[in-house]
Amino acid sequence: MIPRTYATDSQTKSSDLASTILATSSPPQIAAACAAIESFLRTHTPDQIRWFFSITFPTLICKIFGFDESPAQRPQSPNGWIDIVSASNDPELACSVFNLLSPDSVLMSSISAVDRLSLVKYAFPTERLPEWVRFMLQNQRDIRALGDLCPLFKGRVKEDSIKGSSFQVQLNVFEYYMFWFAYYPVCRGNSENCDAVRVRRSRRFRLENWASSISGFSSSRRKSEQKVECGLYIRLLYAYLCAFVPTYDLNAQQPYRSSLLHYSSGYDNSILERAEFFVNTLIHFWLVDNDFSPVPVNVCKSFGVTFPFRSVLGETPPTSGLGELVNVFVKYLKLSSVPLSEGSEQVEYIGSPRWRISGSADGAKSRNAMSTVPSVHSVGSWNSWIQRPLYRFILRTFLFCPVETSIKNVSQVFSLWINYIEPWMISLEDFAELDAHVGTFAKNTAKEMTHSPARVYSSSWQGFVLANYLYYSSLAMHFIGFAHKFLHTDAEVIVQMVLKVINILTSSGELIDVIKNVDAVFHSKPAGSSKAMLNSLYRFVPTICEQLKDWEDGLSESDADGSFLHENWNKDLRLFSDGEDGGQQLLQLFVLRAEAELQAISGDNLAHNLQCLDSLKAQVGCLFGGPIVKPMSVTPEARRYQSRDEVFKPRRVGNCMSTDVKYKGDWMKRPISNDEVAWLAKLLVTLSAWLNNSLGLNQGENSCVDPTWSYMEVSSDVRNVCGATETTKVMLCSLGTWLITSRRVALSFMRKHGLRVNLRMLASKKVVTVLLLISVFCVLKKAFANMVV
């Protein structure tokens, strides 16, 4: 038992240390506070440092990340230790803070010791949880299913002992710190988005000029400084990944690690539970967060849970500024993606992982449901953990990135996508710079991993491509639509991005064959084909169909600005389709637009840009089996008289001139044109849609059954109509019957010919101008009449 005087002394020192930390605002003060914390923890036992984690540790977290202790969502001005380290560019200060927070520091050792004794518990603020979790905590029924839907919160959601009826997330010290660590970039990104809304930028953004929005994350060079080291936050992220998350295959046969049974169950459970917790935390705070479909659809159905998040979250892009961090996170996890041998059974590799259902009553009835987070024991790779959330993270970025803002965040997400679909290019050399700063964590991890030295695609990677086929097909189509939408922002860079994607798809003949063969069997029925390869791929089609339906759940590109796909875009694969909304036609249209755009902006890089465009034409022809784009010649004299509208107008599409090209989607949902009043057009489109739905004009004549005519039998003893009242009643009834009949005939005619109510034409600026002039004339006429009187 601790003496009372010693315990009081520990409490007093913890309070004094918290005051010292709270007063830090300069690099010398931060370095001194780090030394004081380490000295205090070294001189006290786990029982004695309970007061440190009760009093000092919350203050330390606020100062490290720059948060205010108030429940406000936004952080303070950049005065956190991470921001100060980045601004000072002081290697010694960065080393002091890193050594305090590193996985082998005395602070982390003390955290582990306190958690083993379960001395301290924290309640994480509900307003700082991922958005979908925050909404679930508002419903009693959803709270009971939260632990089964998301293992990250299993056993951690408990009733508030103070408020009683409300629930909160209770965590130990390690979990509490990691939640704050994951939330920091989310809060910074949201804060920057709020600032960006208030500041309108008039200059054109170029990818090479985009500045990092989060100072603590950037590792770029500054003009006034020689070199900036890797950001402190990224260094900590990489250190935690190396220390807490094993990248080796837990089921693989390796020296000194032939079986998990060689270790005690407690040791294995602690390693796996900590790894699962950290990976889950980053996934849900970074990738899922504000996604309105956070877990697979069949999981929601199995537990009887419905998410009305679409109406709340809307078409919201992921938090900006996370691309660089997620890239490091995903690349590290991809180190465990070893290629399969050619003779291995690949169906197990792409099979959908199963849920780890708890022993609860609700879980017992759904043991066959799929899991958002599969067990490492059964998977042996982290790939199945991040497939769905990463796909939706990338897709939501491409679909919902606002046209008016900088696409710097999209450029980071684009690099993330490229790295994911080229796992054979990832190696430990990509982390050489971080290894130099982190120390022994990566070295220890490197000893446990073996990788093929060949950084090219081979048949051994076929299982990975099949497991992630939508990344190579459907996501490529969505990116083409994004490229069309953002081509005017920087044609040079957008062309290079599209060229990079096509180069990857055509980098290997074997890879092209796999992608094309899967697309062929996807659009055909199983039959006795002469090619054994095609017959063997039919068994993967159900899994791909399930992924396509689940991974793109609720996403509607028909309402996204600049869409090139129809409303049923998520029900099929269209990369190799030769239709109007197929990949071949859209790439051809993109090449034509890009050529006109590049020639219009001209400049010193015109020759290089046209060379890149020629390379794109060649690779597109290689992808689709032949040249599909003919060169377009535009003389300098013609370019001189081109307007901006002509730059975006394709000169030729196939064998049709540009005047024959029509909008193929819903005509009322076409992009707002320059001759329309935007807000009035949106209002009239909404009103027209309501009228069409109410009148049943959205359905064809065959699908709608005309109402049966009603007749009224008149008895023979009815007397003749006489009197003014009776005559008026008969005339009104006749008029009503005629109006109803006319309405039915008009609706039947409109259904038969596919006509619908379209009030959008009233949003034309010419119509609005005429109506405005008429209104002004009437007002002036009435005013003059009153003056004369």
Side-chain angles (χ1 to χ4, degrees), residues 22 104 138 142 183 283 328 361 402 424 429 440 447 460 545 581 584 598 634 662 664 685 700 732 757 760:
L22 191 60
D104 64 343
Q138 298 175 2
D142 293 341
Y183 173 72
I283 287 176
V328 174
W424 48 85
E429 298 176 0
T440 60
K447 295 178 181 179
S460 59
C545 291
D581 55 355
Q584 184 172 345
L598 291 175
V634 180
K662 297 182 180 180
K664 298 299 181 182
V685 165
L732 290 178
V757 177
R760 182 169 177 173

Side-chain angles (χ1 to χ4, degrees), residues 50-116:
R50 179 177 181 178
W51 289 110
F52 172 85
F53 289 102
S54 299
I55 300 175
T56 311
F57 192 66
T59 303
L60 176 62
I61 288 180
C62 291
K63 294 301 296 183
I64 289 174
F65 301 115
F67 294 122
D68 191 358
E69 293 185 352
S70 64
Q73 186 78 352
R74 295 186 57 190
Q76 294 176 327
S77 57
N79 62 349
W81 287 7
I82 294 179
D83 300 305
I84 294 175
V85 168
S86 301
S88 64
N89 194 31
D90 185 354
E92 295 183 358
L93 177 62
C95 184
S96 299
V97 178
F98 178 82
N99 291 336
L100 174 67
L101 303 176
S102 63
D104 64 343
S105 65
V106 62
L107 176 62
M108 286 296 173
S109 300
S110 301
I111 289 176
S112 300
V114 170
D115 285 340
R116 280 195 297 268

